[in-house]
Amino acid sequence: MSINIASIDSISEVNMDYTITMYFQQSWRDKRLAYGELNLNLTLDNRVADQLWLPDTYFLNDKKSFLHGVTVKNRMIRLHPDGTVLYGLRITTTAACMMDLRRYPLDEQNCTLEIESYGYTTDDIVFFWQGGDSAVTGVDKLELPQFSIVDIRLVSREVRFTTGSYPRLSLSFRIKRNIGYFILQTYMPSILITILSWVSFWINYDASAARVALGVTTVLTMTTINTHLRETLPKIPYVKAIDVYLMGCFVFVFLALLEYAFVNYVFFGRGPQQQKKINERLNKANNERPRYEEKRLREQDSISAPFQTNTFRSFTQRRNLYLEEQRKVGVDAYGNILLTTLEMNNEVMPSDVGSSVSDSRNSVMSFDSSGVQFRKPMAPRDGFSHHSLDRSAMRSRANCRLRRRSSKLKLKIPNLADVSTIDKWSRVIFPITFGFFNLIYWLYYVN
């Protein structure tokens, strides 16, 4: 037997079959038809075939076949002087081809055409490929839209059934799917839609309508691509390679939508609650400070009593002056620290103000670069300069502690104006993770 392949019309993954048009030729020797008077080959009318013995050949994996009949039946009968008969047919057949689509569309498939005798056993007839590996021709001229023929293999074997042993010939050709179509129609749109979902990371968190609409649109688009792909494939139980990729893209798109929901919850739901708790703790801490300062002033007054003169102010006057000073540096009448008047970056250390020595009468009020009020030294007066140095140093250390404590409390308050922290991390994490996913995917399935 020999076959000349005219075309492979279609290969269907849904029906698991392929359609091939070929010139199928069989030859055998019938001594009853030998003639010696004329050394010429005789080509007979196709109607003569009904009067001759023909082998009962059939295609084992055939689904649907037909013999072309335009303008007449495409049958050829050629008779040789030694009784050899060449019988040729032009046939189009749809044969089953069971495919493994786990690596689809990066897969290779092996399709076969099984030729067997239906009634004659090996005791009556023997099948073999005429010409060996050159028995099948026309493969080099084939052009398939989605596949490339990688290899062709011819096999002859004998199969056994309960009715006997039968000869079988197999034409096996290995085809590789071209991925160009799927890159343009599936992979590239999925990549672009995934990247489009990341645009929401650059949109202001206040634009809820824009970010939610973008997230929902990309999710629905990925769902549409998945649905369209499933319509072109059979309902198989295992996961295909393209399913893995599309599901990965869908997860990234869905996570981008959930990212905004998380941002919205953190900064509009949980954020104000944390702010309220921190403010309550801050107020509680600040309410205890006036009592501590009053106690400190009483102790200081009792220590400095022997050195005081008539020019010293009373305890009440010094207390009022101290409270007025605290209000100017950011403490209200209830002892609450006003953080708006303090700057963390310009905090004055004790060493910077330790040299400021004077009592409340011998100082004037001035401001440093941080906006915190402190006392500027003046010339000491006779009689109480030594005690004034000690008292001024204590007051300077107290002011420094106040500023440091205020700065620490300010650090604990969440800055609700900077709500892009999660978005900034998402701008980096999402692309890196998606690139790593693509690297693993293509290395695994291409190799």
Side-chain angles (χ1 to χ4, degrees):
M1 294 186 183
S2 63
I3 296 176
N4 181 269
I5 300 176
S7 64
I8 296 179
D9 302 324
S10 64
I11 300 177
S12 174
E13 296 85 5
V14 177
N15 300 322
M16 295 284 186
D17 59 24
Y18 68 98
T19 302
I20 181 173
T21 299
M22 59 183 174
Y23 297 95
F24 182 61
Q25 299 171 354
Q26 305 174 79
S27 63
W28 65 92
R29 178 178 296 178
D30 190 346
K31 295 181 179 180
R32 296 173 300 174
L33 301 177
Y35 58 93
E37 295 82 5
L38 187 63
N39 193 20
L40 293 175
N41 298 330
L42 299 178
T43 301
L44 306 178
D45 187 87
N46 66 82
R47 291 173 293 183
V48 179
D50 297 333
Q51 310 298 325
L52 302 177
W53 176 89
L54 300 175
D56 57 348
T57 306
Y58 78 104
F59 299 111
L60 183 65
N61 57 337
D62 169 62
K63 287 185 175 181
K64 180 178 63 177
S65 300
F66 64 91
L67 177 68
H68 291 263
V70 179
T71 58
V72 294
K73 289 184 178 182
N74 297 168
R75 295 192 299 182
M76 180 196 69
I77 298 178
R78 183 172 295 169
L79 187 61
H80 295 269
D82 59 351
T84 301
V85 179
L86 178 62
Y87 181 51
L89 303 171
R90 181 169 177 255
I91 302 173
T92 295
T93 180
T94 300
C97 178
M98 303 308 297
M99 302 181 185
D100 184 5
L101 299 176
R102 287 182 173 86
R103 303 179 68 90
Y104 177 90
L106 305 169
D107 57 333
E108 292 184 2
Q109 303 298 335
N110 187 43
C111 295
T112 61
L113 182 65
E114 305 287 343
I115 304 171
E116 188 176 314
S117 174
Y118 188 78
Y120 295 109
T121 64
T122 53
D123 298 334
D124 304 321
I125 193 172
V126 176
F127 284 172
F128 63 92
W129 291 107
Q130 187 176 8
D133 294 338
S134 61
V136 177
T137 59
V139 178
D140 298 337
K141 300 178 181 179
L142 295 178
E143 293 184 1
L144 304 178
Q146 293 188 22
F147 294 91
S148 299
I149 298 179
V150 178
D151 186 26
I152 289 182
R153 189 161 55 97
L154 303 179
V155 179
S156 300
R157 66 180 184 274
E158 180 180 321
V159 293
R160 296 182 178 275
F161 296 100
T162 56
T163 55
S165 299
Y166 297 86
R168 179 182 295 181
L169 300 180
S170 297
L171 167 60
S172 175
F173 50 93
R174 191 169 186 81
I175 55 177
K176 182 179 181 180
R177 196 181 306 273
N178 298 326
I179 196 176
Y181 169 82
F182 297 94
I183 289 178
L184 295 177
Q185 297 295 324
T186 304
Y187 285 102
M188 285 303 298
S190 301
I191 293 173
L192 294 178
I193 291 171
T194 305
I195 296 175
L196 180 62
S197 66
W198 302 341
V199 175
S200 63
F201 302 151
W202 278 266
I203 299 178
N204 195 321
Y205 72 97
D206 288 331
S208 301
R211 295 190 65 164
V212 172
L214 180 61
V216 172
T217 301
T218 52
V219 169
L220 293 178
T221 305
M222 288 302 305
T223 304
T224 303
I225 294 177
N226 275 303
T227 303
H228 174 72
L229 180 66
R230 285 194 294 269
E231 292 176 353
T232 60
L233 293 173
K235 296 179 176 61
I236 50 182
Y238 49 82
V239 178
K240 303 177 289 296
I242 198 168
D243 293 336
V244 174
Y245 193 85
L246 291 180
M247 186 56 63
C249 293
F250 183 84
V251 169
F252 277 97
V253 169
F254 188 71
L255 289 178
L257 179 60
L258 291 184
E259 185 269 348
Y260 176 66
F262 179 71
V263 169
N264 194 39
Y265 168 73
V266 168
F267 294 104
F268 292 96
R270 190 179 65 181
Q273 296 177 2
Q274 292 182 347
Q275 175 74 7
K276 183 178 178 181
K277 293 180 180 178
I278 292 175
N279 288 337
E280 291 177 354
R281 291 197 298 267
L282 180 62
N283 293 334
K284 182 179 180 180
N286 290 337
N287 289 334
E288 297 177 357
R289 184 165 185 81
R291 295 192 295 272
Y292 169 76
E293 295 297 339
E294 182 177 352
K295 180 180 179 181
R296 187 181 63 81
L297 289 175
R298 290 181 181 275
E299 293 176 354
Q300 181 180 353
D301 185 67
S302 61
I303 294 173
S304 61
F307 302 97
Q308 290 182 353
T309 63
N310 294 331
T311 58
F312 284 164
R313 295 174 182 172
S314 64
F315 168 75
T316 304
Q317 291 174 335
R318 289 199 305 276
R319 183 177 183 275
N320 293 336
L321 180 60
Y322 173 78
L323 294 177
E324 182 181 357
E325 179 183 352
Q326 298 304 315
R327 284 194 297 269
K328 291 181 179 179
V329 299
V331 180
D332 59 11
Y334 299 97
N336 295 324
I337 300 175
L338 303 178
L339 298 181
T340 57
T341 64
L342 298 175
E343 295 292 334
M344 291 186 295
N345 296 331
N346 296 322
E347 179 182 352
V348 180
M349 298 303 293
S351 59
D352 297 335
V353 298
S355 60
S356 300
V357 289
S358 176
D359 62 357
S360 58
R361 297 174 301 167
N362 299 328
S363 62
V364 293
M365 306 306 294
S366 61
F367 297 86
D368 62 0
S369 59
S370 63
V372 179
Q373 200 173 22
F374 69 96
R375 299 189 180 278
K376 196 170 184 180
M378 293 182 64
R381 298 187 180 183
D382 298 336
F384 51 86
S385 59
H386 178 74
H387 177 67
S388 299
L389 288 173
D390 296 338
R391 186 167 53 185
S392 299
M394 293 176 63
R395 183 177 293 109
S396 298
R397 288 194 294 270
N399 289 338
C400 291
R401 287 196 300 269
L402 173 63
R403 284 191 290 271
R404 288 198 302 271
R405 185 178 181 185
S406 301
S407 300
K408 293 178 181 179
L409 290 174
K410 187 176 181 179
L411 285 173
K412 296 180 181 179
I413 300 176
N415 187 6
L416 296 182
D418 186 17
V419 296
S420 60
T421 303
I422 299 178
D423 286 340
K424 289 179 181 178
W425 280 102
S426 299
R427 295 170 193 171
V428 177
I429 293 176
F430 273 76
I432 292 177
T433 308
F434 187 66
F436 184 74
F437 166 74
N438 277 272
L439 179 64
I440 297 299
Y441 177 86
W442 292 107
L443 286 178
Y444 177 78
Y445 283 104
V446 171
N447 294 332

